[in-house]
Amino acid sequence: MASNSSGSDSSDRQRIAQQRLSVIAGHLQRPVEGNSGILAAECKAQGDKLDVSSERRTVPRRRQEIMKWNGWGYSDSKFLYNKKGQAEFTGKRYRLSGMIIPGLREWMESTFSANLQHKTPAAPILNSSAVQPPTLNEAFLKELKSTGIPFSHDAEDRVFRSHGHCLHEIFALREGKIGRVPDLVVWPNCHNDVVKIVELACKHNVCLIPYGGGTSVSSALECPPEETRSIVSLDTSQMNRILWIDEKNLTAHVEAGIVGQDLERLLNESGYCTGHEPDSMEFSSLGGWVATRASGMKKNIYGNIEDLVVHIKMVTPRGVIEKSCQGPRMSTGPDVHHFIMGSEGTLGVVTEVTMKIRPMPEYQKYGSVVFPNFEMGVACLREVARQRCAPASIRLMDNEQFKFGHALKPQVSSIFTSFLDGLKKFYITKFKGFDPNRLCVATLLFEGDREKVLQHEKQVYDIAAKFGGLAAGEDNGQRGYMLTFVIAYLRDLGMDYYVIGESFETSMPWDRVLDICRNVKARIVRECKDKGVQFPPLSTCRVTQTYDAGACVYFYFAFNYRGLSDPVHVYEQVEHAAREEILANGGSLSHHHGVGKLRKEWMRESISSVGMGMLKSVKDYVDPNNIFGNRNLL
Amino acid sequence: MTSTYKDSGTASLNDDEEFTDILEERRRNTDLGYALRTFNPQPYKGAPSCSTSDLNKAVLESQYLRYIAKEIALETGSSVEKVRQEARGILEEMSHNLQLGFIRLMAYTFNKVFKRLFRSIYVNMEGLNMLQQAIQESPVILMPNHRSYVDFLIVSFVLFTYDIPIPVIAAGIPLASMKVVGEILRRSGAFFIRRAIGSDKLYWAVLSEYVRTIVRTGCAPLEFYVEGFRSRTLKSVVPKLGMMDMVLEPYFKGEVFDITLVPISISYDRVVEESLLALELLGVPKPKESTTGLFKASRVLQEDYGCMHVNFGRPLSVRQLCEGKINRSEYNLIPRDLPQRPSTEIQDCVNWLAHLIVRTQEEGALISPWSLMACLLLQAPITTLTEEGLQWHGLTEKTLWLRKLVLDFRGRLNWPAHTPDSDVMSSTVALHHSIVHHKAGRVYLVQDGNPASQDPLSPEEKVMRTAAAVLMLVSYRNQALHVFVRPGILATAIHITKSTQKDELFSFFCFLRDVFSSEFIFIPGRASQDFDEACSLLQKCGAVYISQQEVTVLETGLEVLSFLQKLLQPFLESYQLIFRYLCENGAHVFTEKQFLPAVRNLATKLILSGDLHTFEVLSSDTQKNVLSALRRLEAVTKLRASQQNEYKVNKAAVRRTGDILCKIICDIPVKIKLLFCVRLENFDLFLPCCL
């Protein structure tokens, strides 16, 4: 391991660092109430053994130890049909783990006309010989070695960093097809390591592609096929420490490679949280959030990433960019943070971020409301936004998604619960006259003081009642949120049985929400038909975020591709058409997934030619030799 | 069993299309039973059932109307409440009040009437099936042509019969003021639009919001006449765009996923108001729509009007048609509730779509044997028709020849199958006994009124009397015109330019197409397709040989070419005459009121002196078309400030246009150097090249 300490004071600094670390360790174990102060960890920890909390880090350098190479998430967690033909979720990590999901098979069969007899298994293991040998820049490699920063050109390591989770990327991997992959992977351990790597890359004209959690769904991690230079994947996953917590100002200074679940867990141990919970938070990293302008489920309380960030440090080919102070707001010309946020790895590597933190909420409560139809649901969400009383999270699923959520109900243990379920269903459909094929459900999450939460809850339910909404219990709500974590696993199950699909998102003004939802869903259905898809697709949406002036909508789209010779191409054509439809109807190119390479053809139309020129000139100044050459965005 | 017959006359395009006579079954069952049948249509999926009062409320409370009301209040200084009150009044006058009970009443009455008027009403079942399907998928706009008052509720009648949701129908306000009948129409789904809306901002706002709300909610199919009014000449009318704009806007603004347009072609063997139409065109004012008038008209019930065809066209998806033509994102930056002037791109698209619909209506219309005979009768000298009579034998022969030509030109012909041709001919003439009679192997034009009455007619009156009969013939000829127009214009171009050069002919073709685009329906921007179509049709019937560069007239094609050229001759003559009038008449500014009778007088004089051979110039329709052609060519401009339609004429421009057409009348071949003319669509560029 390389050390950046130099000269006579190095041992001094190490001593101080260790002292501080022990303070942190103590702090992490038992939060010091009332007593606050700045707790710091030195940027450069001396190897893994000094880093007190590192053994509990989720992401190892060798991701393959715990994660799938051609699917979503942990190797031990997946859906499968057991010998009895029942769906089951394996592993121990999730609430759903180890459970039988009786409704899933029927839902899959009826929704997609899928059949358990028709399997499309994935290639079982990564065939290293299918991976092109690395193009190494020897001079770069030689100097890199001298820095002591760990690196690898092992095929598996490289393949893991060659993709995100777009359908076409995963589909290709399942078929064992591997395209251009990075030639080298490096694991910097801290900001200074990154500075060195970027310097070397500039010196030797090597292409750098930053890699955080690998959860991109915009083809952002794809190596540009036209890139002839050696491509180095800069994996930030080992820069995952909380460097200090400032309890006076309620901020934390964190290395950008930390993944969401670690950040939350570690802060929780000190009694804090960031409250930033994107659906991918298990695996996505802080740096990735900054680079894509991420949005979290609970943004109504905590804000989106741009609201959470106080200070950013980014290493660019021109040097390090950061602000000189931590003022909460500044009028110092255009906010340079906004060149960084959303830059998608085209300008540099985010290494450290100061983020706002909040005391952990005292009380959390899920909830759900059933509406007679989607229109009423949207009207209710709009009213909630108008009154600015949105709970931490409020989401509205359409009817198809409601049914989907229902199909994911685990086997109930007692007769009593199933009786109760039956009764609920009877009450809603028969007694209240809701059409089971039109009703939809909003899931809610409240957070805060117990008293305030209960008060808040009442307020929201009162509004819902005005739009014909009926409270439908905490369970339904909680299951709705669980869905977001397992949906990506479900796609892998679908792909085992000829079903491919993906989600995409957009944002729009309130008055267009219904129109866009309807038009985009209809467009998907029509395009599938036109493109020769043999079975009706699943085309569903949910409103996932509310704002004063609009909302964010998420679409799920999947179909059974039996009978198609090039299903991925068909998929891409349909998704392309759906995006065209979104834009034609006044929706945005992306709310939080980013542009990457998948959507960059629409950038000019989205931000105007002048806007493109502005971004381009920043890129030209910051990175004239296109060292950060992932070719996203522009 | 309902009888079906193969539309035998139709060319290869739609061979297996079957028409069903819907009166057949009606004749066998009771009218009452039919009117009380269970009516259980499948509406547009997802559309909430929306009552008339819901609809009106939605319109009045719309953000759009609120905004406009505020704006008008500000402009006029009156209170918003007052303006809204006014809007409520407009809406009350306008709105439909569709009730199933009245549909049943309508169905009952129509049954009675139609069974007397018509031998059969043929409907294509395939079209109905497609419509039924389409109605469940998106809001549907029914777009029939309008040739007779009879067809006002015919679509509702057919849809009621086949369990398809009843449409709401845009109608002219005069209908509403008819006692009782107006109310019945309103309750049968009619909503009423004032004729001259002009710049009445509030009226426009209420109307457009009303129409858009109907489309947006999809609560009922919307029926309107894209031609704007009943065609007095039985010729398609250049579409009006106001209603079309309103109907399409919900698609452009993304408020609906798609809109389905269904062109409907209604054709008659004989039109109930044939003589009224001719008189109206000659300046005799049309009787005001009134209930008593309607009862007086009941004598028409004694007559036989042959068959009626209602041909439901293939449903057209606006989304598909507009794909690649427009960019809907122009509506993204302004709230959609606010009025926004559409871009020229969108306006052009609407115009194009409207023309496309009318063309499709034309193509779906059935041409009767009588239309063919009318084409031929009109090519005979007028004295032959009125005095010597036209040889029956020759007419028969020529009609059969023309039948073949129509089929070559892919026209839809309604020629009874399994009937000897001579029977077809004589029954056709018998049906049209009000226009011609057949005596001793000759055919004569019937002239209304008794020539042997007390007061002998003045020569002018005689001309008008003949003109009335001729114009009736003209309107039946017009029913077939769309088949011949494109090859006809090419034939005319060949005739005038005497050229064989394809590009020269194309230039002149475009010129004529431009001049006559108020007269015939040409889809904008499709000049070269039209030209290609004309070429291929003429080649197909053996009239010309087309090579890469040249169009060569074949010996065998002279008959066809001369027929086509003569078919369009009256238009050329009429236009020329009016051009001449405008150039020679002293005034530079004139009103429409002065213009129409002046042209009529001049024409009458020339007919009497034997210098003019067509009566068509007497038709106010022709006269108005010439005006609008000249306005389009910017040789005449409408004075904006004037109250009474004043026009200013640029005589030099009119003369130049006329000079080109003049060569036809004088039949002097001219060498028009068109070869250097690049952009013929642009008239001004064209002129310097040819003079």
Side-chain angles (χ1 to χ4, degrees), chain B residues 47-120:
Chain B
S49 59
C50 109
S51 71
T52 312
S53 60
D54 287 347
L55 173 64
N56 291 0
K57 200 170 144 210
V59 172
L60 279 176
E61 288 179 1
S62 66
Q63 205 67 41
Y64 175 76
L65 220 58
R66 280 171 198 279
Y67 177 84
I68 295 284
K70 230 180 258 174
E71 216 175 54
I72 291 175
L74 212 65
E75 283 165 14
T76 60
S78 78
S79 77
V80 174
E81 199 29 60
K82 233 172 153 184
V83 177
R84 288 179 59 78
Q85 198 60 45
E86 206 181 316
R88 199 165 295 131
I90 293 173
L91 190 62
E92 263 163 34
E93 173 196 275
M94 182 186 304
S95 64
H96 78 84
N97 187 14
L98 182 60
Q99 293 172 359
L100 188 56
F102 279 82
I103 291 294
R104 295 186 188 282
L105 175 68
M106 179 274 298
Y108 178 78
T109 331
F110 271 41
N111 232 348
K112 290 255 180 251
V113 174
F114 285 159
K115 282 197 290 193
R116 292 188 85 148
L117 287 179
F118 299 108
R119 296 176 198 167
S120 310

Side-chain angles (χ1 to χ4, degrees), chain B residues 398-585:
Chain B
K398 207 65 176 141
T399 307
L400 294 177
W401 170 83
L402 191 52
R403 179 177 72 169
K404 189 183 163 301
L405 188 65
V406 168
L407 292 179
D408 274 347
F409 285 179
R410 296 198 294 265
R412 277 164 183 265
L413 196 54
N414 164 31
W415 193 284
H418 319 300
T419 314
D421 292 335
S422 59
D423 290 3
V424 173
M425 289 293 291
S426 47
S427 73
T428 302
V429 168
L431 183 64
H432 292 279
H433 60 88
S434 58
I435 304 178
V436 290
H437 69 274
H438 174 201
K439 201 174 69 186
R442 285 181 181 271
V443 184
Y444 299 88
L445 192 65
V446 173
Q447 299 191 48
D448 212 15
N450 188 356
S453 68
Q454 304 88 330
D455 301 320
L457 293 172
S458 69
E460 285 79 11
E461 281 170 324
K462 270 188 186 156
V463 168
M464 286 315 249
R465 203 184 56 162
T466 312
V470 169
L471 288 188
M472 282 205 270
L473 264 186
V474 162
S475 56
Y476 287 105
R477 174 206 65 191
N478 286 347
Q479 287 186 317
L481 217 45
H482 61 271
V483 178
F484 299 118
V485 161
R486 274 146 281 267
I489 286 188
L490 180 55
T492 307
I494 293 173
H495 180 71
I496 297 166
T497 60
K498 299 282 183 274
S499 167
T500 57
Q501 292 299 309
K502 212 172 174 181
D503 41 5
E504 194 173 339
L505 287 172
F506 176 63
S507 300
F508 207 84
F509 181 90
C510 292
F511 165 69
L512 289 174
R513 189 180 176 273
D514 241 21
V515 170
F516 288 126
S517 66
S518 305
E519 204 69 55
F520 313 116
I521 304 300
F522 298 110
I523 298 177
R526 282 187 36 182
S528 67
Q529 286 99 317
D530 281 348
F531 181 72
D532 291 346
E533 186 192 320
C535 288
S536 83
L537 291 180
L538 283 186
Q539 173 150 327
K540 189 175 161 199
C541 69
V544 296
Y545 173 76
I546 315 268
S547 68
Q548 201 66 29
Q549 307 290 334
E550 291 192 36
V551 178
T552 327
V553 175
L554 300 175
E555 195 67 23
T556 50
L558 291 177
E559 192 179 9
V560 172
L561 291 177
S562 125
F563 165 79
L564 290 171
Q565 184 255 319
K566 278 192 193 152
L567 191 68
L568 296 188
Q569 181 85 351
F571 294 98
L572 293 155
E573 278 188 43
S574 303
Y575 275 57
Q576 184 53 39
L577 176 83
I578 295 174
F579 291 167
R580 209 170 98 196
Y581 163 79
L582 286 174
C583 295
E584 289 168 9
N585 179 292

Side-chain angles (χ1 to χ4, degrees), chain A residues 511-512 515 518-519 581 583, chain B residues 254-255 319 331-332 336:
Chain A
D511 72 315
R512 293 175 192 259
D515 292 329
R518 179 195 52 240
N519 291 353
E581 190 64 31
L583 297 176
Chain B
E255 292 164 331
R319 174 176 277 272
Y331 292 103
N332 286 349
R336 293 174 299 172

